[in-house]
Amino acid sequence: MEVQKIGIVGAGQMGNGIAHVCALAGYDIIMADMSSEALDKARALIDRNMERQVSREKITAEDKATALGRIKTTLKLPDLGQTDLVIEAATERESIKTAIFEDLIPHLQPHTLLTSNTSSISITRLASRTDRPEKFMGFHFMNPVPVMQLVELIRGIATDEETFKACHDVVERLGKTAATAEDFPGFIVNRILMPMINEAVYTLYEGVGSVQSIDTSMRLGANHPMGPLELADFIGLDTCLAIMNVLHDGLADTKYRPCPLLTKYVEAGWLGRKSGRGFYDYRGETPVPTR
């Protein structure tokens, strides 16, 4: 099956990035969200990010104009019914994702593939709540989508080979690299990355080092491009906590226990860059450590 039209659920950080790269690759896109404001912001952000690519001579002005013309937006989920592939990129909460699929399924064509950009939730379990578990799989992009080269492809227990091949072909057309992961909590990237971030929070919690010393140590001592606490703020502390809870619950191992300090920050609403405060305070001209 050849995918030509892609539906994207969610116009947030991940959804607009997925729309961006898919439109540049020549796919017709329809992006749905509950908020017209979110859709307007997403379109404006895609425009700015593509303009940055034009200025760096990654794409031409004509490429940009053509790609933007391929992106349509809607407030009505049923409008995604005529697409060949749906990529769900909503909030990382299973109840929300399940509700989206339930609302969407009556409007889909028989051949439409369903995928989720979830970073940790069971693909098999999500697929089991749909009418097409064999045509369902995980399609996990990395953030920021236009920059990061990896896409994790996660098969559920029922995912058939035709679905996997069609999704793999999409990744190749995007010019990205696919890594195949089995359907276990956190898949590959977050199974390794999130415990490292959680351990960095424990290192802060126990007073081993300050925010600045922890991030400096990992940047200069391990050659990471971004310190783990800065990275947590970029990802969103609520997302980090949600993934740690999935790992802890799904693998039943105490080594995945979320740090109490991470929980406390989320309870305070200090979620990182998107809320203005996390392990750093972003409300001034330069980020300042909050501990």
Side-chain angles (χ1 to χ4, degrees):
M1 194 196 96
E2 186 181 353
V3 172
Q4 294 178 322
K5 192 170 186 179
I6 296 176
I8 297 168
V9 183
Q13 196 171 33
M14 298 304 293
N16 74 65
I18 295 168
H20 175 140
V21 298
C22 290
L24 277 177
Y27 293 105
D28 292 323
I29 306 300
I30 181 160
M31 181 167 52
D33 199 283
M34 291 168 50
S35 162
S36 56
E37 183 184 2
L39 290 169
D40 290 343
K41 282 184 178 177
R43 185 171 276 283
L45 183 59
I46 292 168
D47 191 307
R48 287 199 304 275
N49 287 340
M50 284 188 183
E51 188 57 40
R52 189 177 294 121
Q53 289 178 297
V54 172
S55 67
R56 293 175 181 172
E57 299 184 347
K58 301 283 187 185
I59 62 174
T60 66
E62 186 180 355
D63 292 335
K64 175 192 168 184
T66 304
L68 287 175
R70 292 192 185 107
I71 301 173
K72 293 182 172 57
T73 59
T74 181
L75 295 168
K76 299 174 183 176
L77 209 53
D79 289 349
L80 273 61
Q82 296 306 304
T83 58
D84 304 310
L85 166 67
V86 173
I87 304 172
E88 172 273 314
T91 304
E92 188 70 354
R93 281 175 53 191
E94 188 167 346
S95 59
I96 291 174
K97 295 179 185 296
T98 300
I100 287 168
F101 292 129
E102 285 176 356
D103 289 348
L104 194 54
I105 282 166
H107 308 284
L108 296 178
Q109 300 177 92
H111 74 269
T112 302
L113 306 180
L114 275 177
T115 67
S116 177
N117 184 58
T118 179
S119 50
S120 62
I121 298 168
S122 167
I123 298 302
T124 298
R125 195 163 62 240
L126 287 173
S128 72
R129 316 265 173 80
T130 75
D131 66 341
R132 59 194 71 202
E134 72 286 350
K135 294 184 183 300
F136 192 108
M137 70 180 301
F139 209 144
H140 182 213
F141 288 83
M142 305 296 122
N143 185 32
V145 180
V147 175
M148 302 296 279
Q149 290 301 302
L150 183 74
V151 180
E152 281 184 311
L153 292 179
I154 306 103
R155 300 179 199 240
I157 198 169
T159 306
D160 64 24
E161 186 61 29
E162 185 182 7
T163 299
F164 174 79
K165 187 178 184 309
C167 290
H168 196 280
D169 288 347
V170 171
V171 175
E172 288 193 334
R173 184 164 158 183
L174 296 179
K176 296 189 182 294
T177 300
T180 306
E182 294 301 314
D183 185 25
F184 290 98
F187 316 132
I188 295 172
V189 172
N190 283 316
R191 174 76 176 266
I192 297 167
L193 176 63
M194 285 303 158
M196 183 199 76
I197 287 175
N198 194 52
E199 194 62 29
V201 183
Y202 266 114
T203 306
L204 177 66
Y205 176 62
E206 293 169 4
V208 179
S210 65
V211 169
Q212 195 164 6
S213 62
I214 291 166
D215 278 350
T216 299
S217 294
M218 294 307 291
R219 279 200 311 272
L220 303 184
N223 206 25
H224 290 189
M226 191 182 289
L229 300 176
E230 183 185 1
L231 178 57
D233 275 358
F234 180 76
I235 294 167
L237 304 193
D238 52 341
T239 300
C240 294
L241 179 59
I243 295 169
M244 286 309 302
N245 281 324
V246 167
L247 290 171
H248 190 224
D249 295 343
L251 297 168
D253 192 325
T254 56
K255 74 179 180 179
Y256 298 112
R257 184 177 68 248
C259 179
L261 184 60
L262 178 60
T263 303
K264 191 64 66 181
Y265 268 65
V266 173
E267 287 174 345
W270 291 19
L271 307 180
R273 285 181 179 270
K274 62 186 175 185
S275 67
R277 274 189 294 190
F279 292 112
Y280 293 85
D281 189 327
Y282 299 93
R283 295 173 299 174
E285 287 187 17
T286 57
V288 178
T290 53
R291 275 178 98 82

